[in-house]
């Protein structure tokens, strides 16, 4: 057996092969990262071309109106202040590239610690009340008005305007309105914040995420059912 190849020891060529393998792995990793970023950019570009984006161009507040149904002066010997209701409305404009389809809205009161997050889709609760919109579909640069009734703006209040996009995703404009505190100085009587939440649609990547989420939900449901059956057998 020869322990040399082309005049070089075999251990040298083993080291060269190992080095080439490491370099190949690094190149493959960099190529994978680059390809992933390009796919993500293409996906975002595709989403942007069919996703609506709402912007509040005007807000109006009617009221307050006294709600006689809440006039209960003494409950357990404690004074309960009467409730005053407001009727706010928001004019929103679609500044996105995609159309907004099947626009609807709802609202409800929230706690003082509630914050908006553009990554979380909000769902109506049993205390939510529906609002009304004067248009159900908007293309780029078109406007619609969302109107709400029975909002108690003496406390933080949440308003949600949502619509589908061309990829069947649900997108939400989340608006949080609260009264200005005395320590916040001069300014509007009510402080308004809003964020835009973009939902999953019907693109390939979004189908994969939705399918994976659904799979996890099914597995958890089966696990819960098995645990319930085991607990029944024990009793």
């Amino acid at each position: 057996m020869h322990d040399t190849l082309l005049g070089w020891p075999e251990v040298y060529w083993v080291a060269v092969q190992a080095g080439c393998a490491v370099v190949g792995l690094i190149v493959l990793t960099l190529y994978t990262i680059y390809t992933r970023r390009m796919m993500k950019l293409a996906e975002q570009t595709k989403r942007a071309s069919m996703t609506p984006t709402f912007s509040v161009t005007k807000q109006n507040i009617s009221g307050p109106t006294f709600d006689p149904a809440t006039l209960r002066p003494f409950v357990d010997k404690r004074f309960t202040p009467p409730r005053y209701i407001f009727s706010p409305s928001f004019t929103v404009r679609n500044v996105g590239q995609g159309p907004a389809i099947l626009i609807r809205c709802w609202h409800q009161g929230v706690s003082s610690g509630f914050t908006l997050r553009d990554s979380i889709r909000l769902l109506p609760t049993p205390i939510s009340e529906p609002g009304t919109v004067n248009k159900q579909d908007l293309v780029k640069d078109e406007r619609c008005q969302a109107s709400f009734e029975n909002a108690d703006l003496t406390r933080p209040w949440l308003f949600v305007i949502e619509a589908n996009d061309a990829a069947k995703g649900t997108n939400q404009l989340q608006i949080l309105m609260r009264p200005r505190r005395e320590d916040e100085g001069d300014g509007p009587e009510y402080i308004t914040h809003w964020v835009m939440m973009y939902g999953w649609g019907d693109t390939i990547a979004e189908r994969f995420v939705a399918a994976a989420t659904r799979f996890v939900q099914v597995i958890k449901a089966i696990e819960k059912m098995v645990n319930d059956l085991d607990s029944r057998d024990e009793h």
Side-chain angles (χ1 to χ4, degrees):
M1 297 180 58
H2 299 284
D3 57 354
T4 61
L5 180 64
L6 299 178
W8 294 90
E10 289 188 2
V11 65
Y12 169 81
W13 293 109
V14 171
V16 170
Q17 291 176 353
C20 291
V22 172
V23 172
L25 180 60
I26 294 174
V27 172
L28 180 60
T29 302
L30 294 176
Y31 176 77
T32 302
I33 295 174
Y34 172 78
T35 304
R36 171 57 184 160
R37 288 182 177 178
M38 293 302 295
M39 291 178 61
K40 186 176 181 180
L41 179 60
E43 191 73 24
Q44 291 175 345
T45 303
K46 181 180 179 180
R47 288 285 299 159
S49 66
M50 53 186 174
T51 301
T53 299
F54 290 142
S55 175
V56 178
T57 60
K58 181 181 179 182
Q59 69 179 40
N60 182 58
I61 301 175
S62 300
T65 302
F66 173 64
D67 185 3
T70 62
L71 184 58
R72 301 173 60 192
F74 295 96
V75 178
D76 297 334
K77 297 182 180 181
R78 292 179 298 176
F79 177 73
T80 303
R83 178 173 179 256
Y84 292 89
I85 57 177
F86 299 78
S87 300
S89 63
F90 301 91
T91 300
V92 297
R93 175 188 176 192
N94 182 11
V95 296
Q97 297 295 324
I101 306 169
L102 297 176
I103 303 173
R104 59 271 186 198
C105 57
W106 53 272
H107 66 115
Q108 71 171 72
V110 292
S111 66
S112 58
F114 179 83
T115 57
L116 297 176
R117 297 182 181 179
D118 59 4
S119 60
I120 298 178
R121 179 186 175 187
L122 302 177
L123 299 176
T125 66
I127 64 173
S128 301
E129 295 186 23
T132 59
V133 293
N134 62 349
K135 283 186 178 181
Q136 287 194 320
D137 302 298
L138 291 179
V139 296
K140 184 179 180 181
D141 291 331
E142 285 190 339
R143 292 174 171 85
C144 78
Q145 178 174 296
S147 303
F148 304 89
E149 302 288 342
N150 301 324
D152 183 3
L153 297 184
T154 61
R155 52 175 290 201
W157 209 262
L158 171 68
F159 304 90
V160 176
I161 305 172
E162 60 183 14
N164 296 342
D165 56 30
K168 300 180 182 180
T170 300
N171 308 274
Q172 290 184 337
L173 174 64
Q174 303 169 2
I175 304 172
L176 180 62
M177 182 178 290
R178 63 172 177 83
R180 178 180 291 273
R181 298 191 301 267
E182 294 182 358
D183 60 351
E184 292 180 320
D186 298 332
E189 185 177 0
Y190 301 98
I191 297 179
T192 305
H193 302 279
W194 66 78
V195 299
M196 190 71 196
M197 192 285 305
Y198 300 99
W200 295 109
D202 198 27
T203 60
I204 295 177
E206 292 165 346
R207 286 184 186 182
F208 175 79
V209 173
T213 303
R214 183 58 178 167
F215 176 77
V216 173
Q217 292 174 344
V218 170
I219 294 299
K220 289 183 177 180
I222 294 175
E223 183 179 359
K224 182 178 182 300
M225 182 177 64
V226 171
N227 292 335
D228 291 341
L229 292 175
D230 290 340
S231 62
R232 290 179 183 178
D233 292 339
E234 292 176 357
H235 293 295

